[in-house]
Amino acid sequence: MVSVEAFAPLYSDYLPALLTPVHGLFCPIGVLDVYGAIRLSVAVNWIASDTKGKPRASALQELFGIMVVLYGGETFIGCCTGQPPSWLINPSLGLVFGAIHLLLTRTPLHGLLPTKPSFGTELALAVPDAIGRTLLLTRFSVVPLLHPTSPKTLPATPSTLLLVPFIMAVPFAAVVFSGTQLFSPAITLQTPNELRPWGWTALDAWIPFVLPSLFLSLIAPVKGWPFSLGTDYSEDAAIVVCAALNIVFFVSRAYYNHAPKAAKSPKAKKVKKQ
């Protein structure tokens, strides 16, 4: 039987290459971040293009929304710990995200973007989306708590190990996309989708609790997490397991939301009408 640890190199061997800057000057972020920037820009464009006859939101408004999604969670946590957010020290990531969005939406390249989500597009992008979300909820949020490099890092406790990835992934994106309609022509305040009845059932609302819990339970015992599945996996292997599970979740969501629905038969319609 193949050990799960045999799949750990899928993470340790390939992730560094994905995070290595594409170009030291013109694109100082990795391929994974470039994909994330394109993906976010496409999603923003879908919303911003649905203007219902009104002028589209300004480029500055859209860029501001993207920066809130990108840095909101990190900035909030930085305020709690007294650590300056990364965009104050090195804004390269935000600048590239902004440049990519302007390039895709304010140049002739805009015509190449899909006008709305489709089953084929969402299904194809479900795998890289799931991998990126897994890394955010484990490698970039939980692991720094387990291996602090600054005395100002939050202590590893069950609450911080769950709330930090949640804060990084959910509340600011929820406020921007549905709580304020920040990418629409007119900003309006309303209840974010995640806080509406049954909003908690959305994948984006509960996955930030499930994946970190699974990741920590797979590598336990670790400081701050008393629960263990008895597997004693390495962090690399646990991230691979979480990514595999998350791919299933994201592919299932793409199928549920965008798969072509079977047309009702004329007989069924007639019975319903009667």
Side-chain angles (χ1 to χ4, degrees):
M1 184 176 180
V2 179
S3 170
V4 173
E5 291 292 341
F7 296 98
L10 291 175
Y11 171 86
S12 57
D13 290 353
Y14 293 102
L15 183 65
L18 295 177
L19 297 179
T20 301
V22 176
H23 189 279
L25 178 61
F26 298 108
C27 189
I29 65 175
V31 173
L32 189 64
D33 288 325
V34 171
Y35 168 79
I38 295 173
R39 182 65 164 128
L40 179 57
S41 180
V42 170
V44 170
N45 183 66
W46 285 334
I47 299 173
S49 298
D50 186 16
T51 62
K52 297 179 175 60
K54 299 179 181 179
R56 177 170 174 153
S58 68
L60 186 60
Q61 180 178 328
E62 292 177 16
L63 290 177
F64 176 75
I66 288 174
M67 294 304 113
V68 174
V69 173
L70 187 61
Y71 290 119
E74 177 194 348
T75 303
F76 176 82
I77 294 172
C79 291
C80 295
T81 61
Q83 289 183 304
S86 62
W87 57 268
L88 275 178
I89 300 172
N90 183 0
S92 297
L93 182 67
L95 291 175
V96 175
F97 266 66
I100 287 176
H101 181 67
L102 292 178
L103 186 65
L104 293 179
T105 61
R106 263 63 181 191
T107 70
L109 291 177
H110 181 254
L112 301 177
L113 297 181
T115 56
K116 60 181 180 179
S118 66
F119 178 55
T121 301
E122 292 301 298
L123 190 62
L125 298 180
V127 173
D129 285 353
I131 293 173
R133 187 66 58 87
T134 301
L135 292 175
L136 173 63
L137 297 176
T138 55
R139 170 67 177 81
F140 300 124
S141 57
V142 174
V143 172
L145 296 177
L146 299 177
H147 308 290
T149 58
S150 168
K152 293 184 177 181
T153 301
L154 289 170
T157 66
S159 59
T160 59
L161 291 169
L162 290 180
L163 289 177
V164 167
F166 176 81
I167 292 170
M168 294 284 285
V170 178
F172 289 91
V175 168
V176 168
F177 280 103
S178 59
T180 61
Q181 301 289 318
L182 193 55
F183 298 119
S184 299
I187 298 175
T188 56
L189 295 177
Q190 60 184 22
T191 304
N193 292 336
E194 288 78 2
L195 295 180
R196 296 178 185 180
W198 298 101
W200 60 270
T201 62
L203 180 64
D204 290 335
W206 54 263
I207 204 68
F209 293 113
V210 172
L211 282 192
S213 299
L214 175 61
F215 170 72
L216 290 162
S217 299
L218 289 173
I219 65 174
V222 293
K223 181 181 179 181
W225 190 257
F227 314 105
S228 174
L229 294 176
T231 51
D232 195 24
Y233 288 163
S234 67
E235 291 178 359
D236 293 356
I239 289 176
V240 171
V241 172
C242 291
L245 179 63
N246 208 25
I247 288 172
V248 174
F249 289 150
F250 273 59
V251 168
S252 300
R253 179 175 67 174
Y255 184 85
Y256 179 82
N257 289 338
H258 302 288
K261 302 295 189 294
K264 294 183 179 180
S265 65
K267 183 177 180 180
K269 292 181 179 179
K270 185 176 181 180
V271 171
K272 184 177 180 180
K273 185 176 181 180
Q274 291 176 347

